[in-house]
Amino acid sequence: MGRKLDAREYKLLLNPQIFGQSPNLDVANTFWAQRIRQIVQTADPEAGPLKDDGWRLIRFWDTGSRDLSDNELILRTRQDTKVDFAANGVRKATLKLRMPDQFIVATARLAKPGDEEAGKVETKFEEDIGPLEVLARPPGEQPKVVTPIKLSTRNRFSLSSEIDLAPNDPLDRLDHVLALFPGAAGLVSVSADQSDLDLAGGPLIHEYVFKGSEVALVGEAKAKFTLSVWCFDEPSKLPDVAEMSFVVKTDEGTMSGPVARQAYNLFNSFQDNLSDIIDQDHTSKTSLALPDRGRR
């Protein structure tokens, strides 16, 4: 029997050039007031601005031959920090399986069964929803994101398992990943004598996270908003990646038709009203963060 869906997350990748300065909560709420408030208040007139901010150091990893990403797996390490991005100790490793087939993802297991049942690993099963896009590659031209005339969505399902790493825990080879997440062994197409493949890291990401705004939907359902901004390699610079997203939790794995319809309409309203600032060159922020980030 598969897992119950925890939540649906709607994600819209924005052109980071809309932020003309280093990110902070005031900058985030200026953007909210100018571009977001008028959209969300059609659903909830009482919806307020972003309230909370946070800072994280993030890096994505893969082998040189892309043994993880080519098999729909994403490996990330993360440290929560203070505003100066000084690491505060605990590193977390997250392995995510993400693909369009709900049942493959729902029945997968990445972490050790004992660790998950004992609460040592946090596992989430979510639906990732983004604009319906394809990356066109015309001969002799740069790739370009193409969207349909009628707005719609691209839906994928993700299973992510996150575990705390001890200070001396190594995580620089593929066999270290498989030791932490043995369920991935059946998903990665490598032979036994290749299991010690080295991992390469993508750019060091300084992530600014702004959240705290909730939009009431039907009944008790709420859309919880987050603005994520990434700066590669150094924090005090113009952003490299920006994404606006909102999460709607399910009710024990289900979602009523009215809630789903209102969330769908809200997301399409975002696509329509923010069409001039949607990132037209990339289909996901993770694609920019992998060691071969130029691949999209």
Side-chain angles (χ1 to χ4, degrees), residues 53-89:
D53 48 7
W55 306 268
R56 300 166 176 168
L57 288 173
I58 296 176
R59 180 163 273 167
F60 290 80
W61 305 84
D62 205 344
T63 65
S65 52
R66 304 193 292 268
D67 293 284
L68 294 174
S69 56
D70 280 356
N71 289 285
E72 318 295 349
L73 291 165
I74 302 166
L75 177 65
R76 180 194 71 200
T77 54
R78 188 185 77 193
Q79 289 180 284
D80 291 335
T81 74
K82 295 184 178 180
V83 65
D84 58 1
F85 285 101
N88 62 357

PDB file of all heavy atoms in Angstrom, residues 53-89:
ATOM      1  N   ASP A  53      11.609  35.487   8.266  1.00  0.00           N
ATOM      2  CA  ASP A  53      12.720  35.274   7.354  1.00  0.00           C
ATOM      3  C   ASP A  53      13.697  34.275   7.964  1.00  0.00           C
ATOM      4  O   ASP A  53      13.770  34.093   9.172  1.00  0.00           O
ATOM      5  CB  ASP A  53      13.434  36.589   7.001  1.00  0.00           C
ATOM      6  CG  ASP A  53      13.748  37.438   8.232  1.00  0.00           C
ATOM      7  OD1 ASP A  53      13.539  36.970   9.367  1.00  0.00           O
ATOM      8  OD2 ASP A  53      14.206  38.570   8.055  1.00  0.00           O
ATOM      9  N   GLY A  54      14.423  33.598   7.093  1.00  0.00           N
ATOM     10  CA  GLY A  54      15.406  32.610   7.518  1.00  0.00           C
ATOM     11  C   GLY A  54      16.530  32.526   6.508  1.00  0.00           C
ATOM     12  O   GLY A  54      16.414  33.037   5.377  1.00  0.00           O
ATOM     13  N   TRP A  55      17.627  31.865   6.920  1.00  0.00           N
ATOM     14  CA  TRP A  55      18.823  31.806   6.088  1.00  0.00           C
ATOM     15  C   TRP A  55      19.381  30.394   6.149  1.00  0.00           C
ATOM     16  O   TRP A  55      19.482  29.785   7.219  1.00  0.00           O
ATOM     17  CB  TRP A  55      19.866  32.807   6.588  1.00  0.00           C
ATOM     18  CG  TRP A  55      19.309  34.189   6.698  1.00  0.00           C
ATOM     19  CD1 TRP A  55      19.321  35.178   5.752  1.00  0.00           C
ATOM     20  CD2 TRP A  55      18.615  34.753   7.825  1.00  0.00           C
ATOM     21  NE1 TRP A  55      18.699  36.295   6.209  1.00  0.00           N
ATOM     22  CE2 TRP A  55      18.249  36.069   7.485  1.00  0.00           C
ATOM     23  CE3 TRP A  55      18.276  34.252   9.091  1.00  0.00           C
ATOM     24  CZ2 TRP A  55      17.557  36.897   8.353  1.00  0.00           C
ATOM     25  CZ3 TRP A  55      17.584  35.079   9.961  1.00  0.00           C
ATOM     26  CH2 TRP A  55      17.239  36.386   9.596  1.00  0.00           C
ATOM     27  N   ARG A  56      19.773  29.870   5.000  1.00  0.00           N
ATOM     28  CA  ARG A  56      20.277  28.501   4.923  1.00  0.00           C
ATOM     29  C   ARG A  56      21.450  28.438   3.953  1.00  0.00           C
ATOM     30  O   ARG A  56      21.504  29.190   2.978  1.00  0.00           O
ATOM     31  CB  ARG A  56      19.186  27.545   4.415  1.00  0.00           C
ATOM     32  CG  ARG A  56      17.942  27.463   5.269  1.00  0.00           C
ATOM     33  CD  ARG A  56      16.835  26.768   4.504  1.00  0.00           C
ATOM     34  NE  ARG A  56      15.634  26.558   5.291  1.00  0.00           N
ATOM     35  CZ  ARG A  56      14.466  26.186   4.788  1.00  0.00           C
ATOM     36  NH1 ARG A  56      14.352  25.995   3.481  1.00  0.00           N
ATOM     37  NH2 ARG A  56      13.422  26.008   5.562  1.00  0.00           N
ATOM     38  N   LEU A  57      22.349  27.518   4.231  1.00  0.00           N
ATOM     39  CA  LEU A  57      23.398  27.158   3.281  1.00  0.00           C
ATOM     40  C   LEU A  57      23.015  25.828   2.654  1.00  0.00           C
ATOM     41  O   LEU A  57      22.757  24.847   3.364  1.00  0.00           O
ATOM     42  CB  LEU A  57      24.755  27.031   3.986  1.00  0.00           C
ATOM     43  CG  LEU A  57      25.416  28.338   4.442  1.00  0.00           C
ATOM     44  CD1 LEU A  57      26.657  28.025   5.278  1.00  0.00           C
ATOM     45  CD2 LEU A  57      25.785  29.201   3.244  1.00  0.00           C
ATOM     46  N   ILE A  58      22.980  25.789   1.325  1.00  0.00           N
ATOM     47  CA  ILE A  58      22.504  24.600   0.605  1.00  0.00           C
ATOM     48  C   ILE A  58      23.511  24.230  -0.471  1.00  0.00           C
ATOM     49  O   ILE A  58      24.145  25.094  -1.084  1.00  0.00           O
ATOM     50  CB  ILE A  58      21.129  24.885  -0.045  1.00  0.00           C
ATOM     51  CG1 ILE A  58      20.081  25.150   1.032  1.00  0.00           C
ATOM     52  CG2 ILE A  58      20.690  23.734  -0.936  1.00  0.00           C
ATOM     53  CD1 ILE A  58      18.740  25.538   0.458  1.00  0.00           C
ATOM     54  N   ARG A  59      23.642  22.939  -0.708  1.00  0.00           N
ATOM     55  CA  ARG A  59      24.420  22.474  -1.862  1.00  0.00           C
ATOM     56  C   ARG A  59      23.803  21.178  -2.376  1.00  0.00           C
ATOM     57  O   ARG A  59      23.362  20.329  -1.598  1.00  0.00           O
ATOM     58  CB  ARG A  59      25.881  22.251  -1.467  1.00  0.00           C
ATOM     59  CG  ARG A  59      26.760  21.774  -2.618  1.00  0.00           C
ATOM     60  CD  ARG A  59      28.236  21.976  -2.298  1.00  0.00           C
ATOM     61  NE  ARG A  59      28.686  23.311  -2.669  1.00  0.00           N
ATOM     62  CZ  ARG A  59      29.850  23.833  -2.270  1.00  0.00           C
ATOM     63  NH1 ARG A  59      30.649  23.159  -1.471  1.00  0.00           N
ATOM     64  NH2 ARG A  59      30.202  25.045  -2.674  1.00  0.00           N
ATOM     65  N   PHE A  60      23.761  21.050  -3.690  1.00  0.00           N
ATOM     66  CA  PHE A  60      23.263  19.840  -4.340  1.00  0.00           C
ATOM     67  C   PHE A  60      24.451  19.041  -4.862  1.00  0.00           C
ATOM     68  O   PHE A  60      25.470  19.615  -5.260  1.00  0.00           O
ATOM     69  CB  PHE A  60      22.307  20.199  -5.483  1.00  0.00           C
ATOM     70  CG  PHE A  60      20.990  20.758  -5.022  1.00  0.00           C
ATOM     71  CD1 PHE A  60      20.881  22.082  -4.640  1.00  0.00           C
ATOM     72  CD2 PHE A  60      19.862  19.964  -4.958  1.00  0.00           C
ATOM     73  CE1 PHE A  60      19.678  22.612  -4.206  1.00  0.00           C
ATOM     74  CE2 PHE A  60      18.651  20.474  -4.527  1.00  0.00           C
ATOM     75  CZ  PHE A  60      18.558  21.804  -4.152  1.00  0.00           C
ATOM     76  N   TRP A  61      24.272  17.715  -4.902  1.00  0.00           N
ATOM     77  CA  TRP A  61      25.384  16.814  -5.204  1.00  0.00           C
ATOM     78  C   TRP A  61      24.976  15.770  -6.227  1.00  0.00           C
ATOM     79  O   TRP A  61      23.818  15.354  -6.306  1.00  0.00           O
ATOM     80  CB  TRP A  61      25.842  16.102  -3.932  1.00  0.00           C
ATOM     81  CG  TRP A  61      26.207  17.022  -2.806  1.00  0.00           C
ATOM     82  CD1 TRP A  61      25.353  17.592  -1.898  1.00  0.00           C
ATOM     83  CD2 TRP A  61      27.510  17.506  -2.485  1.00  0.00           C
ATOM     84  NE1 TRP A  61      26.047  18.395  -1.031  1.00  0.00           N
ATOM     85  CE2 TRP A  61      27.369  18.357  -1.367  1.00  0.00           C
ATOM     86  CE3 TRP A  61      28.779  17.287  -3.023  1.00  0.00           C
ATOM     87  CZ2 TRP A  61      28.455  18.995  -0.775  1.00  0.00           C
ATOM     88  CZ3 TRP A  61      29.864  17.928  -2.441  1.00  0.00           C
ATOM     89  CH2 TRP A  61      29.697  18.765  -1.333  1.00  0.00           C
ATOM     90  N   ASP A  62      25.957  15.317  -6.995  1.00  0.00           N
ATOM     91  CA  ASP A  62      25.751  14.199  -7.922  1.00  0.00           C
ATOM     92  C   ASP A  62      27.117  13.669  -8.317  1.00  0.00           C
ATOM     93  O   ASP A  62      28.153  14.300  -8.045  1.00  0.00           O
ATOM     94  CB  ASP A  62      24.971  14.654  -9.158  1.00  0.00           C
ATOM     95  CG  ASP A  62      24.207  13.514  -9.826  1.00  0.00           C
ATOM     96  OD1 ASP A  62      24.518  12.337  -9.533  1.00  0.00           O
ATOM     97  OD2 ASP A  62      23.299  13.799 -10.633  1.00  0.00           O
ATOM     98  N   THR A  63      27.130  12.524  -8.951  1.00  0.00           N
ATOM     99  CA  THR A  63      28.380  11.996  -9.489  1.00  0.00           C
ATOM    100  C   THR A  63      28.682  12.674 -10.816  1.00  0.00           C
ATOM    101  O   THR A  63      27.815  13.325 -11.412  1.00  0.00           O
ATOM    102  CB  THR A  63      28.287  10.482  -9.706  1.00  0.00           C
ATOM    103  OG1 THR A  63      27.301  10.218 -10.725  1.00  0.00           O
ATOM    104  CG2 THR A  63      27.888   9.758  -8.423  1.00  0.00           C
ATOM    105  N   GLY A  64      29.892  12.508 -11.285  1.00  0.00           N
ATOM    106  CA  GLY A  64      30.260  13.097 -12.559  1.00  0.00           C
ATOM    107  C   GLY A  64      29.438  12.567 -13.716  1.00  0.00           C
ATOM    108  O   GLY A  64      29.233  13.256 -14.716  1.00  0.00           O
ATOM    109  N   SER A  65      28.958  11.331 -13.592  1.00  0.00           N
ATOM    110  CA  SER A  65      28.137  10.746 -14.658  1.00  0.00           C
ATOM    111  C   SER A  65      26.641  10.869 -14.371  1.00  0.00           C
ATOM    112  O   SER A  65      25.836  10.206 -15.021  1.00  0.00           O
ATOM    113  CB  SER A  65      28.513   9.273 -14.860  1.00  0.00           C
ATOM    114  OG  SER A  65      28.476   8.565 -13.624  1.00  0.00           O
ATOM    115  N   ARG A  66      26.278  11.680 -13.379  1.00  0.00           N
ATOM    116  CA  ARG A  66      24.881  12.007 -13.071  1.00  0.00           C
ATOM    117  C   ARG A  66      24.056  10.765 -12.720  1.00  0.00           C
ATOM    118  O   ARG A  66      22.908  10.612 -13.154  1.00  0.00           O
ATOM    119  CB  ARG A  66      24.230  12.776 -14.224  1.00  0.00           C
ATOM    120  CG  ARG A  66      24.959  14.041 -14.612  1.00  0.00           C
ATOM    121  CD  ARG A  66      24.118  14.915 -15.515  1.00  0.00           C
ATOM    122  NE  ARG A  66      23.914  14.337 -16.821  1.00  0.00           N
ATOM    123  CZ  ARG A  66      24.693  14.558 -17.873  1.00  0.00           C
ATOM    124  NH1 ARG A  66      25.734  15.351 -17.761  1.00  0.00           N
ATOM    125  NH2 ARG A  66      24.436  13.995 -19.026  1.00  0.00           N
ATOM    126  N   ASP A  67      24.648   9.900 -11.892  1.00  0.00           N
ATOM    127  CA  ASP A  67      23.946   8.666 -11.530  1.00  0.00           C
ATOM    128  C   ASP A  67      22.698   8.926 -10.697  1.00  0.00           C
ATOM    129  O   ASP A  67      21.779   8.101 -10.698  1.00  0.00           O
ATOM    130  CB  ASP A  67      24.899   7.737 -10.766  1.00  0.00           C
ATOM    131  CG  ASP A  67      26.021   7.222 -11.637  1.00  0.00           C
ATOM    132  OD1 ASP A  67      25.766   6.333 -12.457  1.00  0.00           O
ATOM    133  OD2 ASP A  67      27.150   7.725 -11.514  1.00  0.00           O
ATOM    134  N   LEU A  68      22.642  10.037  -9.985  1.00  0.00           N
ATOM    135  CA  LEU A  68      21.452  10.363  -9.206  1.00  0.00           C
ATOM    136  C   LEU A  68      20.411  11.064 -10.064  1.00  0.00           C
ATOM    137  O   LEU A  68      19.287  10.586 -10.206  1.00  0.00           O
ATOM    138  CB  LEU A  68      21.834  11.230  -7.994  1.00  0.00           C
ATOM    139  CG  LEU A  68      22.707  10.548  -6.942  1.00  0.00           C
ATOM    140  CD1 LEU A  68      23.127  11.548  -5.870  1.00  0.00           C
ATOM    141  CD2 LEU A  68      21.974   9.369  -6.308  1.00  0.00           C
ATOM    142  N   SER A  69      20.762  12.194 -10.654  1.00  0.00           N
ATOM    143  CA  SER A  69      19.760  12.979 -11.386  1.00  0.00           C
ATOM    144  C   SER A  69      19.216  12.248 -12.606  1.00  0.00           C
ATOM    145  O   SER A  69      18.044  12.411 -12.955  1.00  0.00           O
ATOM    146  CB  SER A  69      20.339  14.334 -11.800  1.00  0.00           C
ATOM    147  OG  SER A  69      21.516  14.182 -12.565  1.00  0.00           O
ATOM    148  N   ASP A  70      20.037  11.414 -13.237  1.00  0.00           N
ATOM    149  CA  ASP A  70      19.534  10.656 -14.388  1.00  0.00           C
ATOM    150  C   ASP A  70      18.556   9.563 -13.980  1.00  0.00           C
ATOM    151  O   ASP A  70      17.867   8.985 -14.828  1.00  0.00           O
ATOM    152  CB  ASP A  70      20.699  10.035 -15.171  1.00  0.00           C
ATOM    153  CG  ASP A  70      21.370  11.046 -16.078  1.00  0.00           C
ATOM    154  OD1 ASP A  70      20.888  12.199 -16.164  1.00  0.00           O
ATOM    155  OD2 ASP A  70      22.389  10.701 -16.702  1.00  0.00           O
ATOM    156  N   ASN A  71      18.487   9.279 -12.678  1.00  0.00           N
ATOM    157  CA  ASN A  71      17.540   8.294 -12.157  1.00  0.00           C
ATOM    158  C   ASN A  71      16.491   8.943 -11.261  1.00  0.00           C
ATOM    159  O   ASN A  71      15.961   8.305 -10.340  1.00  0.00           O
ATOM    160  CB  ASN A  71      18.290   7.198 -11.408  1.00  0.00           C
ATOM    161  CG  ASN A  71      19.087   6.295 -12.332  1.00  0.00           C
ATOM    162  OD1 ASN A  71      18.514   5.451 -13.028  1.00  0.00           O
ATOM    163  ND2 ASN A  71      20.392   6.481 -12.373  1.00  0.00           N
ATOM    164  N   GLU A  72      16.200  10.212 -11.529  1.00  0.00           N
ATOM    165  CA  GLU A  72      15.134  10.969 -10.872  1.00  0.00           C
ATOM    166  C   GLU A  72      15.393  11.219  -9.391  1.00  0.00           C
ATOM    167  O   GLU A  72      14.452  11.444  -8.617  1.00  0.00           O
ATOM    168  CB  GLU A  72      13.765  10.249 -11.033  1.00  0.00           C
ATOM    169  CG  GLU A  72      13.485   9.664 -12.396  1.00  0.00           C
ATOM    170  CD  GLU A  72      13.366  10.721 -13.487  1.00  0.00           C
ATOM    171  OE1 GLU A  72      13.302  11.909 -13.165  1.00  0.00           O
ATOM    172  OE2 GLU A  72      13.355  10.341 -14.665  1.00  0.00           O
ATOM    173  N   LEU A  73      16.659  11.181  -8.963  1.00  0.00           N
ATOM    174  CA  LEU A  73      17.014  11.407  -7.564  1.00  0.00           C
ATOM    175  C   LEU A  73      17.758  12.728  -7.405  1.00  0.00           C
ATOM    176  O   LEU A  73      18.553  13.108  -8.268  1.00  0.00           O
ATOM    177  CB  LEU A  73      17.883  10.267  -7.032  1.00  0.00           C
ATOM    178  CG  LEU A  73      17.183   8.911  -6.881  1.00  0.00           C
ATOM    179  CD1 LEU A  73      18.220   7.802  -6.700  1.00  0.00           C
ATOM    180  CD2 LEU A  73      16.219   8.918  -5.692  1.00  0.00           C
ATOM    181  N   ILE A  74      17.505  13.412  -6.310  1.00  0.00           N
ATOM    182  CA  ILE A  74      18.146  14.688  -6.009  1.00  0.00           C
ATOM    183  C   ILE A  74      18.723  14.605  -4.602  1.00  0.00           C
ATOM    184  O   ILE A  74      17.999  14.282  -3.649  1.00  0.00           O
ATOM    185  CB  ILE A  74      17.137  15.851  -6.087  1.00  0.00           C
ATOM    186  CG1 ILE A  74      16.494  15.922  -7.479  1.00  0.00           C
ATOM    187  CG2 ILE A  74      17.803  17.175  -5.729  1.00  0.00           C
ATOM    188  CD1 ILE A  74      15.257  16.814  -7.518  1.00  0.00           C
ATOM    189  N   LEU A  75      20.004  14.898  -4.471  1.00  0.00           N
ATOM    190  CA  LEU A  75      20.668  14.888  -3.168  1.00  0.00           C
ATOM    191  C   LEU A  75      21.032  16.316  -2.782  1.00  0.00           C
ATOM    192  O   LEU A  75      21.665  17.035  -3.557  1.00  0.00           O
ATOM    193  CB  LEU A  75      21.934  14.031  -3.202  1.00  0.00           C
ATOM    194  CG  LEU A  75      22.758  14.014  -1.909  1.00  0.00           C
ATOM    195  CD1 LEU A  75      21.983  13.367  -0.768  1.00  0.00           C
ATOM    196  CD2 LEU A  75      24.098  13.297  -2.136  1.00  0.00           C
ATOM    197  N   ARG A  76      20.634  16.700  -1.550  1.00  0.00           N
ATOM    198  CA  ARG A  76      20.883  18.055  -1.073  1.00  0.00           C
ATOM    199  C   ARG A  76      21.387  18.009   0.364  1.00  0.00           C
ATOM    200  O   ARG A  76      20.921  17.196   1.163  1.00  0.00           O
ATOM    201  CB  ARG A  76      19.580  18.859  -1.109  1.00  0.00           C
ATOM    202  CG  ARG A  76      19.692  20.298  -0.638  1.00  0.00           C
ATOM    203  CD  ARG A  76      18.320  20.884  -0.393  1.00  0.00           C
ATOM    204  NE  ARG A  76      17.692  20.301   0.784  1.00  0.00           N
ATOM    205  CZ  ARG A  76      16.384  20.314   1.040  1.00  0.00           C
ATOM    206  NH1 ARG A  76      15.556  20.847   0.176  1.00  0.00           N
ATOM    207  NH2 ARG A  76      15.899  19.770   2.139  1.00  0.00           N
ATOM    208  N   THR A  77      22.352  18.861   0.681  1.00  0.00           N
ATOM    209  CA  THR A  77      22.715  19.102   2.071  1.00  0.00           C
ATOM    210  C   THR A  77      22.312  20.514   2.438  1.00  0.00           C
ATOM    211  O   THR A  77      22.334  21.416   1.596  1.00  0.00           O
ATOM    212  CB  THR A  77      24.225  18.902   2.323  1.00  0.00           C
ATOM    213  OG1 THR A  77      24.978  19.717   1.406  1.00  0.00           O
ATOM    214  CG2 THR A  77      24.617  17.444   2.137  1.00  0.00           C
ATOM    215  N   ARG A  78      21.952  20.707   3.729  1.00  0.00           N
ATOM    216  CA  ARG A  78      21.453  22.006   4.158  1.00  0.00           C
ATOM    217  C   ARG A  78      21.851  22.272   5.602  1.00  0.00           C
ATOM    218  O   ARG A  78      21.869  21.360   6.431  1.00  0.00           O
ATOM    219  CB  ARG A  78      19.934  22.059   4.052  1.00  0.00           C
ATOM    220  CG  ARG A  78      19.333  23.434   4.283  1.00  0.00           C
ATOM    221  CD  ARG A  78      17.813  23.379   4.285  1.00  0.00           C
ATOM    222  NE  ARG A  78      17.311  22.857   5.538  1.00  0.00           N
ATOM    223  CZ  ARG A  78      16.058  22.455   5.742  1.00  0.00           C
ATOM    224  NH1 ARG A  78      15.197  22.457   4.747  1.00  0.00           N
ATOM    225  NH2 ARG A  78      15.663  22.020   6.912  1.00  0.00           N
ATOM    226  N   GLN A  79      22.187  23.514   5.887  1.00  0.00           N
ATOM    227  CA  GLN A  79      22.424  23.978   7.245  1.00  0.00           C
ATOM    228  C   GLN A  79      21.638  25.252   7.477  1.00  0.00           C
ATOM    229  O   GLN A  79      21.767  26.209   6.715  1.00  0.00           O
ATOM    230  CB  GLN A  79      23.922  24.261   7.472  1.00  0.00           C
ATOM    231  CG  GLN A  79      24.788  23.013   7.534  1.00  0.00           C
ATOM    232  CD  GLN A  79      26.255  23.376   7.763  1.00  0.00           C
ATOM    233  OE1 GLN A  79      26.922  23.824   6.842  1.00  0.00           O
ATOM    234  NE2 GLN A  79      26.726  23.190   8.967  1.00  0.00           N
ATOM    235  N   ASP A  80      20.821  25.273   8.507  1.00  0.00           N
ATOM    236  CA  ASP A  80      20.169  26.513   8.903  1.00  0.00           C
ATOM    237  C   ASP A  80      21.212  27.412   9.552  1.00  0.00           C
ATOM    238  O   ASP A  80      22.085  26.951  10.291  1.00  0.00           O
ATOM    239  CB  ASP A  80      19.034  26.238   9.885  1.00  0.00           C
ATOM    240  CG  ASP A  80      17.864  25.512   9.226  1.00  0.00           C
ATOM    241  OD1 ASP A  80      17.713  25.636   8.002  1.00  0.00           O
ATOM    242  OD2 ASP A  80      17.122  24.820   9.938  1.00  0.00           O
ATOM    243  N   THR A  81      21.121  28.703   9.279  1.00  0.00           N
ATOM    244  CA  THR A  81      22.116  29.637   9.792  1.00  0.00           C
ATOM    245  C   THR A  81      21.421  30.878  10.345  1.00  0.00           C
ATOM    246  O   THR A  81      20.204  31.028  10.261  1.00  0.00           O
ATOM    247  CB  THR A  81      23.093  30.085   8.689  1.00  0.00           C
ATOM    248  OG1 THR A  81      22.428  31.004   7.813  1.00  0.00           O
ATOM    249  CG2 THR A  81      23.624  28.904   7.898  1.00  0.00           C
ATOM    250  N   LYS A  82      22.236  31.772  10.871  1.00  0.00           N
ATOM    251  CA  LYS A  82      21.748  33.102  11.223  1.00  0.00           C
ATOM    252  C   LYS A  82      21.944  34.019  10.018  1.00  0.00           C
ATOM    253  O   LYS A  82      22.416  33.596   8.965  1.00  0.00           O
ATOM    254  CB  LYS A  82      22.492  33.615  12.453  1.00  0.00           C
ATOM    255  CG  LYS A  82      22.202  32.792  13.706  1.00  0.00           C
ATOM    256  CD  LYS A  82      22.884  33.378  14.937  1.00  0.00           C
ATOM    257  CE  LYS A  82      22.538  32.546  16.170  1.00  0.00           C
ATOM    258  NZ  LYS A  82      23.181  33.091  17.397  1.00  0.00           N
ATOM    259  N   VAL A  83      21.620  35.280  10.199  1.00  0.00           N
ATOM    260  CA  VAL A  83      21.599  36.210   9.076  1.00  0.00           C
ATOM    261  C   VAL A  83      22.954  36.342   8.392  1.00  0.00           C
ATOM    262  O   VAL A  83      23.038  36.656   7.204  1.00  0.00           O
ATOM    263  CB  VAL A  83      21.084  37.590   9.542  1.00  0.00           C
ATOM    264  CG1 VAL A  83      22.041  38.221  10.531  1.00  0.00           C
ATOM    265  CG2 VAL A  83      20.821  38.505   8.364  1.00  0.00           C
ATOM    266  N   ASP A  84      24.052  36.064   9.117  1.00  0.00           N
ATOM    267  CA  ASP A  84      25.385  36.197   8.522  1.00  0.00           C
ATOM    268  C   ASP A  84      25.826  34.945   7.778  1.00  0.00           C
ATOM    269  O   ASP A  84      26.947  34.871   7.288  1.00  0.00           O
ATOM    270  CB  ASP A  84      26.416  36.549   9.603  1.00  0.00           C
ATOM    271  CG  ASP A  84      26.463  35.511  10.727  1.00  0.00           C
ATOM    272  OD1 ASP A  84      25.715  34.513  10.652  1.00  0.00           O
ATOM    273  OD2 ASP A  84      27.241  35.725  11.677  1.00  0.00           O
ATOM    274  N   PHE A  85      24.944  33.929   7.692  1.00  0.00           N
ATOM    275  CA  PHE A  85      25.212  32.663   7.020  1.00  0.00           C
ATOM    276  C   PHE A  85      26.368  31.888   7.663  1.00  0.00           C
ATOM    277  O   PHE A  85      26.972  31.035   7.028  1.00  0.00           O
ATOM    278  CB  PHE A  85      25.488  32.861   5.522  1.00  0.00           C
ATOM    279  CG  PHE A  85      24.239  33.153   4.744  1.00  0.00           C
ATOM    280  CD1 PHE A  85      23.928  34.451   4.367  1.00  0.00           C
ATOM    281  CD2 PHE A  85      23.360  32.140   4.402  1.00  0.00           C
ATOM    282  CE1 PHE A  85      22.778  34.738   3.662  1.00  0.00           C
ATOM    283  CE2 PHE A  85      22.193  32.418   3.700  1.00  0.00           C
ATOM    284  CZ  PHE A  85      21.905  33.710   3.322  1.00  0.00           C
ATOM    285  N   ALA A  86      26.661  32.169   8.927  1.00  0.00           N
ATOM    286  CA  ALA A  86      27.638  31.359   9.644  1.00  0.00           C
ATOM    287  C   ALA A  86      26.967  30.042  10.033  1.00  0.00           C
ATOM    288  O   ALA A  86      25.904  30.030  10.657  1.00  0.00           O
ATOM    289  CB  ALA A  86      28.126  32.085  10.894  1.00  0.00           C
ATOM    290  N   ALA A  87      27.562  28.929   9.628  1.00  0.00           N
ATOM    291  CA  ALA A  87      26.967  27.621   9.880  1.00  0.00           C
ATOM    292  C   ALA A  87      26.855  27.375  11.387  1.00  0.00           C
ATOM    293  O   ALA A  87      27.768  27.699  12.150  1.00  0.00           O
ATOM    294  CB  ALA A  87      27.800  26.528   9.229  1.00  0.00           C
ATOM    295  N   ASN A  88      25.726  26.807  11.819  1.00  0.00           N
ATOM    296  CA  ASN A  88      25.503  26.600  13.242  1.00  0.00           C
ATOM    297  C   ASN A  88      25.597  25.141  13.667  1.00  0.00           C
ATOM    298  O   ASN A  88      25.081  24.749  14.702  1.00  0.00           O
ATOM    299  CB  ASN A  88      24.138  27.168  13.661  1.00  0.00           C
ATOM    300  CG  ASN A  88      22.985  26.473  12.949  1.00  0.00           C
ATOM    301  OD1 ASN A  88      23.200  25.605  12.100  1.00  0.00           O
ATOM    302  ND2 ASN A  88      21.770  26.855  13.280  1.00  0.00           N
ATOM    303  N   GLY A  89      26.233  24.311  12.857  1.00  0.00           N
ATOM    304  CA  GLY A  89      26.512  22.959  13.327  1.00  0.00           C
ATOM    305  C   GLY A  89      25.833  21.856  12.547  1.00  0.00           C
ATOM    306  O   GLY A  89      26.479  21.134  11.796  1.00  0.00           O
TER     307      GLY A  89
END
